[in-house]
Amino acid sequence: MHANYPTKMRAPMHFHITAIVVVALSFACAKPREEPVTHQPEHGHHHHGHHDHGHGHGVNEHGYKGHRFDDPEQWMQQFESPERTAWQKPDEVVASLALAPDATIADLGAGTGYFTIRFAAAVPSGKVYAVDIEPSMVAWLSERAQKQGLANVEAIRAEPDDPRLPGPVDVVFMCNVFHHLADPQAYFEAVAGKLEAEGRVVIVDFRKDNPDDAPGPPAHMRMTAEQVVEIMRAAGYQLRRHDRELLQYQYLLEFTLQ
């Protein structure tokens, strides 16, 4: 469920009542308003992004923080809006990864496939695992790949503590989802078992010090880059790149195994 946050819009009343843009896994760097563990949105404020969050920040019945992301058609309007694309810069993000044409990518918290379809184009002779924890999102991803003729995309339903990747991957990507994970250290310890020796993990998420009117979840849901780095180190990774310039409201962190 990629967690994406679109441009801030007044959240409907039911968002305020339910809890919180992964997969996810899947899921991904899916997602205009953002967040699940593999994708979910924001909170009661007017947020934009991969996923929106409700007021409750506990772990929901699907094992991630925030409200459910179980209506793909509704989230499609937010996750893939022109407003979100203006600040998320998905094409620039994908280009910055310098992917090999035959690479295998895991888009964790893929949501509606906002980044998945771009990865599919970037690795024409490779493979893209579109991972999400929401059954409806996984079905949507599978159908979208089929309709668009994306033979190199495989939709996967993840577990709260395991993306359930079927094979080794070169790049693991998670956008606006990390802050939705119930136990990010345990989650990425599971990911490590599927990462190639020279593989990379790329995490994009919202800056803690963003202004209140910026896209994304409220401040108490956001994490600093330093917090993410600390968790990833405990999970067995080392920071290789911290891009502070590419995106206005988010940091991009790239890790390899220690």
Side-chain angles (χ1 to χ4, degrees):
M1 314 169 337
H2 268 257
N4 301 300
Y5 290 86
T7 41
K8 302 249 173 195
M9 306 164 32
R10 182 165 296 279
M13 182 62 71
H14 66 271
F15 285 175
H16 295 268
I17 299 174
T18 54
I20 296 190
V21 118
V22 19
V23 173
L25 263 262
S26 60
F27 25 28
C29 7
K31 308 173 189 181
R33 271 186 131 186
E34 191 200 69
E35 342 238 3
V37 0
T38 24
H39 296 323
Q40 269 32 219
E42 305 172 313
H43 273 268
H45 300 295
H46 314 172
H47 299 291
H48 341 209
H50 212 192
H51 298 358
D52 287 317
H53 306 263
H55 281 310
H57 310 310
V59 176
N60 63 31
E61 68 271 28
H62 271 219
Y64 59 79
K65 297 177 183 177
H67 68 65
R68 296 278 305 278
F69 292 87
D70 54 357
D71 186 342
E73 290 191 25
Q74 173 193 349
W75 290 114
M76 183 85 168
Q77 299 176 31
Q78 269 194 302
F79 293 171
E80 309 204 17
S81 70
E83 292 81 5
R84 182 199 175 192
T85 297
W87 54 261
Q88 186 63 84
K89 298 183 178 180
D91 296 323
E92 291 89 335
V93 169
V94 172
S96 77
L97 303 183
L99 300 170
D102 61 348
T104 299
I105 314 298
D107 182 7
L108 305 186
T112 57
Y114 183 73
F115 274 99
T116 296
I117 60 172
R118 292 172 168 87
F119 287 135
V123 295
S125 56
K127 184 78 175 181
V128 181
Y129 295 123
V131 183
D132 209 281
I133 201 169
E134 286 287 356
S136 58
M137 284 293 189
V138 175
W140 173 279
L141 286 162
S142 183
E143 183 177 357
R144 183 176 189 179
Q146 184 175 21
K147 286 182 176 179
Q148 296 187 12
L150 304 177
N152 59 344
V153 171
E154 179 180 346
I156 297 173
R157 183 180 175 185
E159 296 294 338
D161 59 352
D162 187 350
R164 299 181 63 187
L165 297 174
V169 298
D170 300 298
V171 177
V172 168
F173 180 81
M174 177 176 279
C175 182
N176 305 341
V177 173
F178 194 93
H179 64 276
H180 280 289
L181 297 172
D183 188 345
Q185 179 178 332
Y187 187 87
F188 278 97
E189 287 174 347
V191 168
K194 293 295 186 178
L195 194 64
E196 292 281 13
E198 301 299 321
R200 298 175 286 161
V201 172
V202 178
I203 296 173
V204 177
D205 219 315
F206 293 96
R207 297 174 183 169
K208 180 74 171 178
D209 59 355
N210 280 343
D212 290 341
D213 62 349
H220 63 277
M221 286 290 297
R222 301 194 295 265
M223 302 174 69
T224 65
E226 290 72 23
Q227 287 176 303
V228 175
V229 170
E230 182 178 358
I231 291 170
M232 292 298 286
R233 281 177 177 160
Y237 298 83
Q238 58 185 337
L239 180 67
R240 298 301 297 272
R241 179 165 70 106
H242 182 179
D243 192 326
R244 302 172 177 83
E245 306 299 328
L246 179 61
L247 302 171
Q248 180 178 0
Y249 302 114
Q250 298 151 293
Y251 45 77
L252 184 154
L253 306 172
E254 186 174 303
F255 300 89
T256 56
L257 292 171
Q258 291 178 0

